[in-house]
């Protein structure tokens, strides 16, 4: 860890907390009502769409959510397949294959944004805007809506409903995501992120390129409406790049400052939701405890990745490469990284994007040193609860909080309770299902792929690094992250379909149990009326003790589930690297 | 089934409304504003020599003559620095191909500058993530300065001074990296005489 790394990490964590405070207040407000001057607009839009706005029980809420997301998949699939005949396709891109289009549709609707295709060479401007940008917004709004529903479950007492999905969806999109994205997009454009509807440009090279095939005098530059998509890609923890190289592309992420903005945008809403949760349940310390647990896990991961990346690659050191940090260079493992970000901001970004289920990358994760790559995998495998996706991070962490309370209750012989709500078998069943779905998908998917001929055909790197590519892919898909060890040739029917299944179940087979849990909790009456007083009766869930317990619960479930698989990939690779 | 049919109207109408707002109104409004407020940047920070487009200030170009500073290796498809197919090579740290490519690159650098026995700065032998990296580290520029000066028949101090003029340093020592834009540096070199 260099001094620069400590400063970058410290400054970043501080900035995230400072953003979380006002944003948490705003999120809490939006979860309850429309902002005052805009309530009239919202009401008339809802009326026009035929929404009555009455409270829904968890089944009604889940049904509406699933229907809406199904429409999203169908529309995005159709838009891709029809793109050759539609306007704003200056490069005249053909339709993606049916399996690729299906994979992409599921990927963007589930907030995963796994990309089997290369953006600038596949998708028309219209598909990028009306298809992919739209789902960047709607999948984010869906995740936040579920978090709102679960928060209401804890906040309410003896209630039949957990909110109205249509109202939540509209409110989150209009009063949260659109204004924030708009400001961020303009900030990006001011820094050099492109925003136009031009076809590719051809420019003359300063020095002609002498290649095997002959001399080339020009370079092609992909164009498009990038800034507008970039903003919601980060704010909604989506992560699907306009360009193939994602946030490593200079047109997506041109400067060290856009990089800082992108990193902050990823964590802003997940951190803000913790604060909003504290406000909604009437005890802000509860929100701080969740944020503290997330921060502890995050900082540990960043220190690990930064140190490993700065140490560099011993194979390169052996052939006379200078990897030492100095005033003239960042040094370290620069394979698959950009000079303007160096090792520090690339390592930090890698931790952020996998801790949150964003999946944008500003460096190629396949070329991380093996254990650093292993940490990014583990961050996903922990269930995307270290900040996590917008909404999904909070509801994922709350599942672990309930589990932690339950375990503590068993140990002390008390009836477990969280925020004054008794945790009983009905609740624990839903928690267990929601926590166990993703490991099942990751491990069985990986096993299927590496034991089949078609699965192994896609590997780029040999041996353990190849296994890591597959383990990373299924960890990423089932946890709705979307980043990749991109050596894997995943644009084949086998990977497109198996990963689509992992993404869909990893999203909705978690959301439905979470909503059921919200319903069960909302119906339960609180033993003590005041949640803060209820706290003191049982084990407090806002102090350092609970933070430690929560961190250990997350690590225990993750480690027990994944250590054997990680040992076969990153750990073996690491040993080979230093042998 | 009835409930699903009942929900179909809000589902479809909200989907259409939100698609129009987030997929058309929002990106088109941002396009209009960005092209008004920051026209050069929204168009790609393009460099023009008269009528001719000669590159983007943000996108790297390949160089291999001894009289120019070389950019980083690029792994983009069909040709290096292909701005229509960005990407890295995704090789693992243990992959033989990666180490061999670095060794070849070192050999090429040494062949062009036999007297230079200094260790090679790492960014000069590793492929970038985008394959379009416009920068090299200051260490990588200094490493090449003597070769460039000799090939051009100019004083090494003049080349060093040019690097210094184009050098970018981290803000407060931690945001950004010590680096120089290769295309800008080479254009300035060409303008020397």
């Amino acid at each position: 860890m260099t001094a620069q790394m400590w400063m970058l990490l410290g400054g970043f964590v501080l900035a995230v907390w400072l953003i979380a405070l006002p944003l948490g207040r705003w999120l809490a407000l939006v979860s309850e009502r429309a902002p005052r001057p805009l309530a009239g607009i919202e009401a008339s839009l809802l009326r026009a769409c035929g929404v009555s706005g009455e409270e829904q029980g968890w089944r009604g809420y889940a049904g509406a959510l699933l229907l809406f997301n199904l429409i999203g998949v169908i529309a995005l699939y159709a838009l891709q397949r029809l793109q050759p005949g539609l306007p704003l396709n200056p490069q005249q891109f053909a339709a993606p294959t049916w399996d690729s289009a299906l994979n992409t549709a599921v990927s963007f609707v589930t907030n995963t944004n796994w990309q089997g295709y290369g953006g600038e060479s596949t998708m028309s401007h219209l598909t990028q805007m009306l298809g992919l940008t739209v789902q960047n917004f709607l999948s984010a709004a869906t995740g936040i809506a579920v978090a709102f529903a679960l928060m209401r479950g804890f906040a309410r007492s003896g209630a039949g409903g957990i909110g109205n999905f249509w109202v939540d969806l509209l409110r989150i999109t209009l009063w949260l995501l659109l204004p924030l994205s708009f400001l961020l997009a303009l900030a990006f454009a001011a820094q050099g992120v492109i925003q136009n509807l031009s076809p590719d440009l051809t420019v003359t090279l300063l020095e002609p390129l002498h290649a095997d095939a002959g001399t080339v005098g020009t370079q092609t530059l992909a164009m498009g409406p990038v800034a507008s998509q970039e903003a919601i890609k980060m704010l909604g923890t989506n992560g699907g790049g306009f360009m193939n190289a994602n946030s490593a592309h200079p047109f997506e992420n041109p400067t060290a400052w856009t990089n800082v903005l992108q990193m902050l945008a990823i964590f802003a809403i997940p951190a803000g939701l913790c604060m909003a949760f504290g406000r909604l349940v009437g005890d802000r310390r509860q929100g701080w405890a969740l944020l503290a647990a997330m921060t502890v896990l995050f900082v540990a991961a960043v220190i690990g990745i930064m140190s490993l990346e700065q140490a560099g690659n011993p194979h390169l050191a052996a052939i006379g490469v200078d990897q030492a940090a100095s005033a003239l260079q960042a040094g370290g493992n620069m394979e698959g990284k950009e000079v303007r970000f160096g090792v520090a901001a690339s390592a930090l970004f890698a931790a952020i994007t996998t801790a949150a289920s964003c999946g944008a990358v500003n460096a190629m994760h396949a070329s991380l040193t093996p254990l650093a790559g292993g940490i990014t995998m583990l961050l996903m495998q922990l269930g995307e609860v270290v900040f996590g996706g917008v909404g999904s991070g909070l509801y994922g962490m709350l599942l672990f909080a309930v589990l932690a309370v339950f375990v503590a209750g068993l140990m002390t012989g008390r009836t477990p309770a969280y925020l004054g709500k008794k945790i009983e078998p009905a609740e624990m069943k839903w928690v267990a299902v929601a926590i166990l779905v993703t490991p099942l998908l990751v491990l069985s998917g990986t096993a299927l792929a590496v034991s089949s001929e078609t699965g192994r055909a896609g590997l780029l790197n040999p041996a353990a690094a190849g296994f890591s590519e597959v383990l990373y892919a299924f960890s990423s898909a089932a946890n709705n992250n979307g980043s990749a060890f991109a050596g894997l040739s995943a644009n084949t029917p086998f990977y497109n379909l198996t990963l689509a299944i992992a993404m869909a179940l990893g999203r909705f087979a978690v959301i439905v149990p979470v909503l059921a849990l919200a319903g069960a909790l909302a119906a339960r009456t609180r033993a003590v009326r005041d949640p803060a007083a209820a706290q003191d009766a049982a084990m407090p869930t806002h102090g350092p003790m609970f933070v430690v317990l929560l961190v250990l619960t997350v690590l225990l479930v993750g480690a027990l589930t994944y250590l054997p698989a990680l040992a076969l990939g990153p750990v073996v690779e690491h040993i080979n690297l230093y042998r | 089934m009835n409930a699903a049919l009942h929900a179909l109207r809000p589902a479809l109408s909200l989907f259409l409304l939100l698609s129009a707002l987030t997929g058309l109104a929002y990106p088109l409004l941002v396009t209009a504003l960005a092209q008004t407020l920051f026209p050069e940047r929204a168009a790609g920070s393009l460099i023009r020599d008269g009528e001719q487009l000669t590159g983007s200030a943000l996108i790297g170009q390949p160089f291999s003559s001894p009289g120019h500073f070389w950019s980083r290796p690029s792994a983009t498809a069909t040709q290096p620095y292909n701005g229509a197919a960005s990407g890295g090579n995704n090789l693992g740290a243990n992959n033989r191909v990666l180490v061999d490519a670095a060794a070849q690159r070192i050999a090429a650098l040494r062949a062009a500058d036999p007297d230079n026995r200094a260790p090679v700065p790492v960014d000069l032998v590793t492929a970038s993530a985008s394959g379009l990296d416009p920068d090299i580290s200051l260490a990588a520029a200094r490493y090449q300065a003597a070769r460039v000066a000799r090939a051009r028949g100019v004083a090494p101090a003049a080349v060093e001074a040019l690097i210094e003029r184009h050098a970018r340093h981290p803000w407060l020592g931690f945001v950004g990296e010590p680096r120089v834009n290769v295309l800008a540096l080479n254009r300035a070199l060409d303008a020397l005489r």
Side-chain angles (χ1 to χ4, degrees), chain A residues 383-479:
Chain A
E384 294 295 13
V385 297
V386 183
F387 293 90
V390 289
S392 58
L394 180 70
Y395 65 67
M397 196 50 133
L398 284 172
L399 295 174
F400 279 103
V402 172
L403 181 62
V405 165
F406 180 74
V407 171
L410 290 183
M411 287 193 295
T412 57
R414 278 183 180 163
T415 311
Y418 187 51
L419 303 168
K421 298 261 186 172
K422 278 200 188 119
I423 306 298
E424 293 193 357
E427 285 86 359
M428 281 316 296
K429 264 189 296 191
W430 294 120
V431 170
V433 169
I435 288 181
L436 292 177
V437 165
T438 47
L440 182 72
L441 291 168
V442 173
L443 294 176
S444 55
T446 305
L448 175 70
V450 295
S451 59
S452 73
E453 205 55 55
T454 39
R456 287 196 303 272
L459 307 188
L460 170 77
N461 284 289
F467 176 77
S468 290
E469 289 171 5
V470 177
L471 180 61
Y472 196 105
F474 282 95
S475 300
S476 175
N479 289 290

Side-chain angles (χ1 to χ4, degrees), chain A residues 540-556:
Chain A
T541 53
H542 55 72
M545 175 73 108
F546 180 72
V547 172
V548 171
L549 186 68
L550 182 55
V551 166
L552 289 180
T553 308
V554 171
L555 283 178
L556 198 69

Side-chain angles (χ1 to χ4, degrees), chain A residues 191-266:
Chain A
Q191 284 280 306
V193 178
I194 59 173
Q195 180 74 21
N196 58 55
L197 300 172
S198 313
D200 288 3
L201 292 180
T202 303
V203 303
T204 309
L205 292 172
L206 187 62
E207 180 184 316
L209 170 72
H210 304 289
D212 298 338
T215 302
V216 187
T218 59
Q219 177 185 44
T220 308
L221 302 178
M223 292 283 128
V226 177
S228 53
Q229 188 163 330
E230 199 68 18
I232 187 60
K233 163 190 151 192
M234 310 319 265
L235 280 169
T237 62
N238 291 285
F242 193 99
M243 309 285 189
N244 186 46
N246 207 300
S247 283
H249 196 297
F251 280 160
E252 285 202 21
N253 194 1
T255 68
W257 286 109
T258 52
N259 194 56
V260 167
L261 278 180
Q262 298 205 351
M263 294 192 294
L264 289 172
I266 297 175

Side-chain angles (χ1 to χ4, degrees), chain A residues 282-305:
Chain A
D283 179 5
R284 294 206 216 151
R285 297 172 303 176
Q286 303 295 335
W288 279 109
L290 297 180
L291 192 61
M294 291 177 176
T295 305
V296 166
L297 286 164
F298 171 68
V299 168
V302 173
I303 292 175
I305 297 175

